[in-house]
């Protein structure tokens, strides 16, 4: 039995009010412990799709189902959504405080996740003292410190420089190897999509629909050397070509 839930999207469609359709019959299977990368042009409905999977928005039609263990979900939003009046430390431990679990069980989590995300020196800073990338790393630390079994990530690394982004991609896979959550990862970076995923789903525009699904057979564990492999470069090439087809459609 998987330790992480499988998610199944069955013909999800969405329109806001009487506006034009935003999503058109999106069907996707995410196996327990798999990471699916979702790429597509701006405005094609990626964030909307993630919100529907999270139950934050109702679909107009279609269904999201899960099997296996009950999903314990964390959502990393496109913008960092930190409390401005709380320090980095307090922002990281906020969900633990809200859950009113025993303090001993989360004492030290801010230090541990702050260290993993390179925030040790910033633990007592307020969000206004942080760069965009640092805010994002606090948001990631907050989500992962809850040990979710389902992780929804909406462009979490978009605000980071390339080196930090690569490092956090590697860190994320190391954490995944240990905790094996199921992941839906929205990104505009083809390299990131290929590095992180078991499968890449390309969403086309107007309305958002599944335009292509690319299986990613790159073996795990993946590390910096993976980015030099021929198979990685082939997948980046194929994904880029499919994305160009969508953008020029
Ligand atoms: N609450 C809302 N009410 C009305 N329209 C909305 C709402 N949320 C999103 N939309 C529309 O749905 C479409 C898809 O938006 P969404 O944010 O899902 O795109 P996206 O693929 O995440 O784009 P980006 O890559 O720029 O983040 C857009 O046309 C947007 O205007
Ligand atoms: Mg978005």
């Amino acid at each position: 039995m998987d330790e992480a839930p499988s998610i199944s999207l069955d013909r999800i469609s969405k329109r806001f009010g009487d506006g034009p359709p935003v999503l058109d019959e999106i069907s996707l299977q995410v196996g327990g412990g798999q990471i699916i990368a979702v790429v597509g042009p701006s405005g094609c409905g990626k964030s909307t799709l993630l919100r529907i999977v999270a139950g934050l928005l109702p679909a107009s039609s279609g269904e999201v189902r899960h099997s296996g263990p009950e999903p314990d979900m964390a959502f990393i939003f496109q913008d960092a959504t930190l409390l401005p009046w709380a320090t980095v430390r307090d922002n990281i431990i906020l969900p633990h405080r809200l859950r009113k679990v025993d303090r001993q069980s989360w004492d030290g989590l801010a230090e541990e996740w702050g260290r993993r995300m390179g925030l040790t020196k910033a633990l007592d800073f307020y969000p206004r003292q942080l760069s965009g990338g640092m805010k994002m790393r606090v948001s990631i630390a907050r989500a992962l410190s809850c040990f979710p079994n389902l992780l929804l990530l909406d462009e979490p690394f978009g605000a980071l420089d390339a080196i930090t982004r690569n490092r956090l991609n590697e860190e994320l896979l190391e954490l995944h190897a240990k905790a094996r959550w199921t992941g839906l990862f929205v990104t505009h970076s083809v390299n990131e999509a290929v590095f992180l995923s078991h499968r890449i789903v390309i969403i086309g525009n107007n309305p958002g629909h599944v335009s292509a699904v690319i299986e990613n057979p790159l073996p795990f564990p993946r590390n910096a050397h993976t980015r030099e492999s021929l198979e990685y470069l082939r997948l980046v090439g194929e994904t880029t070509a499919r994305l160009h087809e969508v953008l020029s459609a």
Side-chain angles (χ1 to χ4, degrees):
M1 177 101 174
D2 288 324
E3 314 106 343
S6 303
I7 303 296
S8 154
L9 279 62
D10 184 19
R11 299 200 292 168
I12 298 287
S13 296
K14 178 70 182 174
R15 70 184 332 149
F16 291 95
D18 52 10
V22 169
L23 294 174
D24 180 37
E25 303 216 331
I26 304 256
S27 292
L28 267 184
Q29 310 295 326
V30 192
Q34 285 193 334
I35 303 177
I36 304 299
V38 178
V39 295
S42 181
C44 71
K46 304 179 294 298
S47 296
T48 302
L49 185 67
L50 237 54
R51 286 187 151 81
I52 291 171
V53 173
L56 298 171
L57 258 184
S60 303
S61 63
E63 235 187 322
V64 181
R65 284 191 286 264
H66 61 83
S67 56
E70 197 57 31
D72 189 358
M73 185 188 62
F75 198 131
I76 301 178
F77 289 94
Q78 203 164 359
D79 28 63
T81 59
L82 303 181
L83 298 179
W85 61 85
T87 62
V88 166
R89 182 189 309 277
D90 287 341
N91 267 290
I92 293 176
I93 59 185
L94 175 75
H96 305 279
R97 201 166 258 167
L98 291 178
R99 287 175 183 189
K100 293 193 167 56
V101 287
D102 181 13
R103 183 172 186 125
Q104 275 178 333
S105 68
W106 49 264
D107 223 19
L109 279 183
E111 279 74 15
E112 182 188 339
W113 287 92
R115 181 180 52 72
R116 288 196 175 156
M117 292 294 133
L119 293 164
T120 298
K121 290 186 182 144
L123 281 174
D124 295 314
F125 287 10
Y126 289 87
R128 63 171 185 280
Q129 298 169 284
L130 306 176
S131 70
M134 288 165 90
K135 284 183 203 164
M136 225 37 240
R137 281 183 274 149
V138 177
S139 161
I140 294 164
R142 183 177 57 194
L144 292 181
S145 71
C146 296
F147 301 105
N149 63 14
L150 173 61
L151 193 55
L152 306 179
L153 306 104
D154 196 352
E155 282 186 64
F157 303 136
L160 302 177
D161 66 88
I163 306 281
T164 308
R165 186 174 189 153
N166 283 353
R167 192 176 63 69
L168 288 183
N169 280 182
E170 288 152 30
E171 177 93 17
L172 196 67
L173 283 190
E174 278 174 34
L175 296 169
H176 180 261
K178 286 183 207 143
R180 231 184 140 260
W181 29 263
T182 304
L184 261 176
F185 193 105
V186 170
T187 178
H188 280 291
S189 159
V190 170
N191 294 61
E192 186 167 87
V194 171
F195 187 78
L196 290 176
S197 70
H198 294 79
R199 199 180 313 133
I200 301 153
V201 175
I202 297 180
I203 308 283
N205 232 337
N206 297 321
H209 61 281
V210 175
S211 169
V213 177
I214 300 172
E215 293 300 327
N216 183 344
L218 282 174
F220 291 89
R222 298 175 187 170
N223 53 38
H225 297 297
T226 306
R227 295 197 186 84
E228 290 156 14
S229 71
L230 284 179
E231 184 66 358
Y232 172 84
L233 296 172
R234 184 192 70 74
L235 282 161
V236 168
E238 183 181 351
T239 308
T240 306
R242 294 299 184 93
L243 208 47
H244 274 296
E245 284 170 20
V246 164
L247 288 168
S248 56

